[in-house]
Amino acid sequence: MKILLILPISFLLNIFIKNVKFDPFVFISRLHFIVEDLFKKKSKTENDKLAFAVGTLSSLIMVAISFVIPFFLLMLLYKIHFILGLIIELGLCYLTLGIRKPLEISSHIVRSLKTNDVKKAKSLLKENTEIETDDIEQEQIIKSTIEYTTISIAEDYIYPAIFLLLGGAPLCIAYKVLYTLSESSSDTVYIDENKTKDSFGIFNIKLCYILNIIPSIFTSLTHIIAAKFYKYEFKNAFETLKRDGRNNKARLESTVAGALNIELGGEYVKDGEIYDRPLVGEYLEDLEIFHIEKANKLILISAIFALFILILLKLIFMLFSSIIF
């Protein structure tokens, strides 16, 4: 029952309270790199199987600890007093879920572009996506901003919210740790979910990809519902999803691209290397600043629809449980 309180309240906290600068999951990334560096220093020869085994074991330990500690802590606090446990669980969810930052960043980029401060827009984009922005044009800034917002809100809010529904804050935190490890194991900001040369971290990427299949389909469908709500091209969003939704991130981007009659994906540069992702959507409209604003509206209302659907599913599950048991 408490999840029915935590889901909407944590959403409101994320929307109306400015994000704290403290991010506990940064330490997970650092710990991952420390363990990997230690393994490479201790291992005298390159052994992919051994690297995979050690990487998998260290990841499982970190994920397990991130579940067990909050689980028993909350169990103790709820025994002391329900309100105390609820407050701490809400605090944990506030630190774990994230929806405000991507919308804020994209809004700042919009304002910068509208005032012709392209340098600031590039700086904001580079700071938050780590892609090279020195030589890109305004159209690429707009495209990358829409991609960043689309992926970030799905992976930082909707996906963890699903795991919050399934297992409360402990499972939500455990998922976020796995997701953070997956990002740390990837060479690209938009994680290539099917290819990696990192034997030490391939377990994180593959497991996270599998866990995100259903959430990505769910999120894509909420994009289509939101497109219908705003009278965007919802039919095109659905057709684009069927045609271009080849992996988790492509599903997210394809529905947004289809709803806005634009094309997303393609090349970007990071650390001097060119990365090429599949194109999704169709180039039916030139990318303009207002496309970011339309995308933000679509993605935000999609997150709200996702919240209501998750609450409804929880209520239906509780009803069936009460009838059966």
Side-chain angles (χ1 to χ4, degrees):
M1 179 64 75
K2 64 180 182 292
I3 294 298
L4 297 178
L5 291 173
I6 292 171
L7 271 173
I9 295 174
S10 62
F11 176 84
L12 293 173
L13 287 174
N14 270 270
I15 288 291
F16 293 109
I17 298 179
K18 192 171 183 179
N19 297 88
V20 295
K21 292 184 179 180
F22 174 69
D23 182 5
F25 297 98
V26 170
F27 299 103
I28 299 297
S29 296
R30 291 176 184 172
L31 183 59
H32 171 81
F33 288 127
I34 290 170
V35 173
E36 187 172 10
D37 286 340
L38 284 173
F39 168 74
K40 288 179 179 178
K41 288 176 182 178
K42 295 292 183 180
S43 179
K44 296 180 180 179
T45 59
E46 289 188 9
N47 188 324
D48 288 343
K49 291 183 178 179
L50 181 61
F52 172 77
V54 174
T56 300
L57 181 61
S58 64
S59 297
L60 288 174
I61 290 172
M62 282 188 270
V63 171
I65 290 173
S66 68
F67 176 83
V68 170
I69 293 176
F71 179 82
F72 285 106
L73 174 63
L74 289 171
M75 182 185 292
L76 174 63
L77 292 173
Y78 276 116
K79 283 184 178 180
I80 295 172
H81 199 285
F82 177 80
I83 298 298
L84 178 61
L86 185 66
I87 290 172
I88 299 301
E89 190 161 13
L90 279 170
L92 292 173
C93 291
Y94 171 74
L95 290 173
T96 306
L97 303 172
I99 190 171
R100 180 183 174 116
K101 182 182 175 182
L103 293 170
E104 275 190 339
I105 297 302
S106 59
S107 296
H108 290 325
I109 290 173
V110 166
R111 283 196 291 271
S112 299
L113 292 176
K114 284 183 175 179
T115 57
N116 294 318
D117 192 351
V118 179
K119 185 177 180 181
K120 184 177 180 181
K122 288 183 177 181
S123 176
L124 285 167
L125 186 61
K126 184 175 182 178
E127 181 182 347
N128 290 278
T129 65
E130 299 180 14
I131 64 174
E132 299 296 331
T133 59
D134 294 337
D135 299 323
I136 65 175
E137 301 296 330
Q138 178 169 300
E139 192 172 38
Q140 183 61 47
I141 295 174
I142 294 168
K143 177 189 284 191
S144 296
T145 302
I146 293 173
E147 292 168 347
Y148 161 70
T149 310
T150 301
I151 292 171
S152 294
I153 289 183
E155 295 183 338
D156 290 340
Y157 176 73
I158 298 178
Y159 292 7
I162 292 172
F163 287 91
L164 174 63
L165 175 75
L166 295 173
L171 188 61
C172 181
I173 293 170
Y175 167 78
K176 191 64 180 284
V177 167
L178 176 64
Y179 169 74
T180 303
L181 290 170
S182 175
E183 279 198 319
S184 300
S185 301
S186 173
D187 292 327
T188 77
V189 67
Y190 296 118
I191 305 175
D192 188 330
E193 299 157 312
N194 297 308
K195 298 177 182 178
T196 180
K197 298 177 182 178
D198 183 7
S199 298
F200 190 87
I202 192 172
F203 171 79
N204 307 318
I205 294 177
K206 295 295 185 182
L207 179 58
C208 197
Y209 176 79
I210 292 168
L211 291 177
N212 287 347
I213 291 174
I214 293 177
S216 69
I217 295 170
F218 172 75
T219 307
S220 299
L221 294 176
T222 62
H223 287 166
I224 296 171
I225 296 170
K228 172 68 173 174
F229 177 82
Y230 277 119
K231 298 182 180 179
Y232 294 167
E233 300 294 334
F234 71 95
K235 290 182 180 179
N236 190 37
F238 183 69
E239 291 300 323
T240 306
L241 173 63
K242 290 195 298 181
R243 186 186 69 236
D244 298 334
R246 292 179 287 271
N247 57 52
N248 294 340
K249 285 181 170 59
R251 290 187 195 101
L252 301 174
E253 293 180 349
S254 63
T255 44
V256 173
L260 302 181
N261 280 334
I262 60 174
E263 185 180 71
L264 297 174
E267 293 184 351
Y268 67 96
V269 180
K270 181 187 176 186
D271 297 330
E273 292 188 45
I274 298 175
Y275 296 91
D276 191 13
R277 295 182 306 122
L279 292 170
V280 298
E282 295 180 88
Y283 202 105
L284 300 175
E285 295 183 20
D286 292 333
L287 283 166
E288 301 289 348
I289 298 171
F290 71 85
H291 282 114
I292 300 178
E293 296 172 312
K294 289 182 70 174
N296 284 355
K297 288 167 62 179
L298 176 73
I299 295 164
L300 177 58
I301 200 68
S302 173
I304 294 172
F305 282 137
L307 174 65
F308 279 110
I309 293 169
L310 290 175
I311 291 173
L312 180 61
L313 289 173
K314 182 65 176 179
L315 288 170
I316 292 171
F317 176 78
M318 290 171 62
L319 178 62
F320 274 109
S321 297
S322 63
I323 293 172
I324 295 172
F325 300 107

